[in-house]
Amino acid sequence: MGPAELVQAAAMARRFYLEGKSKIQIAEEFGVSRFKVARVLESALERDLVRIEIRVPAELDAERSDALRSRYGLRHAVVVESPADAAEDAPDPENLGEVAADLLGELVHEGDVLGLAWGRSTIHMAAALHRLPPCTVVQLTGVYDAGTAERGSVEAVRRAAQVSGGEAHPIYAPMLLPDSATAAALRGQTGIARAFEYFDKVTVAAVSIGSWEPGISTVYDMLDEEERAHYASLGAAAEMSAHLFAADGRRIGRDLGERCITVEADRLRRIPEVVAIAGGQRKAAAIGAVLRSGLVTSLVTDTAAADYLLTETGPGPRPALERADPDGS
């Protein structure tokens, strides 16, 4: 390019990339065809006259996010950098909750019903919420311990409702009961029954994922040794909202659900947007199992888990997109 061509190319590039003008508008201004404008803009890129840089916040990994979304058929996948000093046995990075809070701000619309399941990640997310359109917020599971309700999912539901200015429907009951009869009786109580009535109206849900080991799975910690061994013998690899999953995504130990206060799996599958929040090396395999279940549509995770999920044996047909039950039931 000569000097005149360089000046013209720079001017066209400024109009197109900075001022947002169309190629037709630029062509009219400079008295050339739109095809000429297209060639000039292409040449400006090839000659490094124009540089296009895609920038996202440093903590977000756009490349891994897109690869994970594509591989599992996820609607949304957001991968954040794992802390440099994160230990292999570390729990979910707290910044997952902050990123998930921002994602909910995008996904939830006025009039939606937001469902929150018990989990450390969802509790961190609720604490980080700073914007939500007016919506109803309902609790999807009981709590880990009735004595921690104020510091757990009940408080998370209240916090989200406060931010949105909408109604809150908490569940004041343990997640796991001694037997199915006690659980059935609790489900019939007025406050809990009212929350359950909203389950079919939930449009966006946030859930946590745990691997089948102490300190990482709420249900594991609530069972006795004999029960843990029983579900382990069935192939338990992951837990989400008191539902257990084998490594291939099949649900196992369905009898456990009869003792739990939680949203049923078939209702969860009908929710249009289910966002899972989980990360870390210890949870990576469990996250893969839950993704294969078809119950989750979106994921907020970290690079440690993402690297595992992107290199493990293929997940088969894109489960999050299809939302098919691996059991075929």
Side-chain angles (χ1 to χ4, degrees):
M1 284 185 176
E5 291 175 312
L6 285 170
V7 170
Q8 185 184 67
M12 288 183 175
R14 178 175 295 278
R15 304 290 194 280
F16 186 74
Y17 292 108
L18 299 183
E19 299 176 11
K21 291 187 175 181
S22 69
K23 293 175 184 176
I24 293 176
Q25 290 174 313
I26 297 170
E28 290 176 351
E29 179 183 347
F30 286 86
V32 297
S33 71
R34 61 186 177 89
F35 302 106
K36 167 71 172 178
V37 174
R39 287 196 298 271
V40 170
L41 292 176
E42 184 178 350
S43 181
L45 284 172
E46 292 174 350
R47 295 171 181 270
D48 211 24
L49 184 63
V50 173
R51 295 182 183 179
I52 297 176
E53 185 177 2
I54 300 172
R55 301 180 65 183
V56 295
E59 70 271 15
L60 299 182
D61 192 310
E63 186 175 349
R64 284 185 176 92
S65 297
D66 187 56
L68 201 59
R69 179 200 58 76
S70 177
R71 178 161 189 169
Y72 287 88
L74 291 161
R75 192 167 292 130
H76 304 280
V78 182
V79 178
V80 304
E81 288 289 342
S82 302
D85 57 352
E88 184 174 342
D89 60 350
D92 295 320
E94 289 195 18
N95 61 341
L96 292 186
E98 298 170 4
V99 173
D102 289 338
L103 179 61
L104 277 194
E106 294 182 48
L107 299 181
V108 177
H109 298 91
E110 184 172 352
D112 276 349
V113 177
L114 171 63
L116 299 181
W118 195 98
R120 296 176 184 88
S121 296
T122 51
I123 291 170
H124 289 152
M125 178 205 68
L129 282 171
H130 57 85
R131 64 182 177 94
L132 271 181
C135 65
T136 299
V137 186
V138 61
Q139 193 170 322
L140 295 179
T141 65
V143 298
Y144 174 66
D145 185 317
T148 64
E150 292 302 314
R151 303 188 300 275
S153 48
V154 170
E155 181 57 31
V157 168
R158 287 176 170 170
R159 166 66 180 165
Q162 180 184 35
V163 172
S164 74
E167 294 182 1
H169 294 276
I171 293 178
Y172 295 96
M175 181 187 294
L176 180 66
L177 283 303
D179 52 65
S180 58
T182 304
L186 276 178
R187 292 189 202 102
Q189 290 188 355
T190 303
I192 298 174
R194 185 177 298 115
F196 268 64
E197 289 173 359
Y198 275 91
F199 286 179
D200 286 330
K201 303 175 184 177
V202 174
T203 50
V204 180
V207 301
S208 295
I209 295 172
S211 53
W212 193 244
E213 55 182 310
I216 306 295
S217 165
T218 300
V219 172
Y220 183 100
D221 291 339
M222 296 171 74
L223 297 174
D224 60 35
E225 288 294 339
E226 183 177 348
E227 291 171 318
R228 293 170 184 167
H230 167 66
Y231 292 116
S233 71
L234 297 179
E239 176 253 318
M240 179 185 69
S241 303
H243 300 294
L244 307 185
F245 303 88
D248 60 3
R250 290 179 300 105
R251 285 181 56 221
I252 62 171
R254 298 185 183 222
D255 60 307
L256 183 65
E258 298 175 3
R259 296 168 50 193
C260 293
I261 303 297
T262 186
V263 59
E264 301 95 324
D266 59 342
R267 280 178 160 175
L268 198 60
R269 198 181 302 278
R270 291 196 297 268
I271 296 174
E273 184 74 78
V274 180
V275 181
I277 313 159
Q281 294 184 46
R282 286 182 70 179
K283 285 191 176 182
I287 295 169
V290 173
L291 290 182
R292 282 186 281 274
S293 75
L295 292 173
V296 169
T297 61
S298 297
L299 175 67
V300 177
T301 190
D302 67 343
T303 51
D307 285 343
Y308 174 90
L309 293 168
L310 290 171
T311 56
E312 69 169 342
T313 304
R318 300 160 65 183
L321 183 65
E322 302 296 335
R323 304 203 77 180
D325 187 342
D327 289 332
S329 60

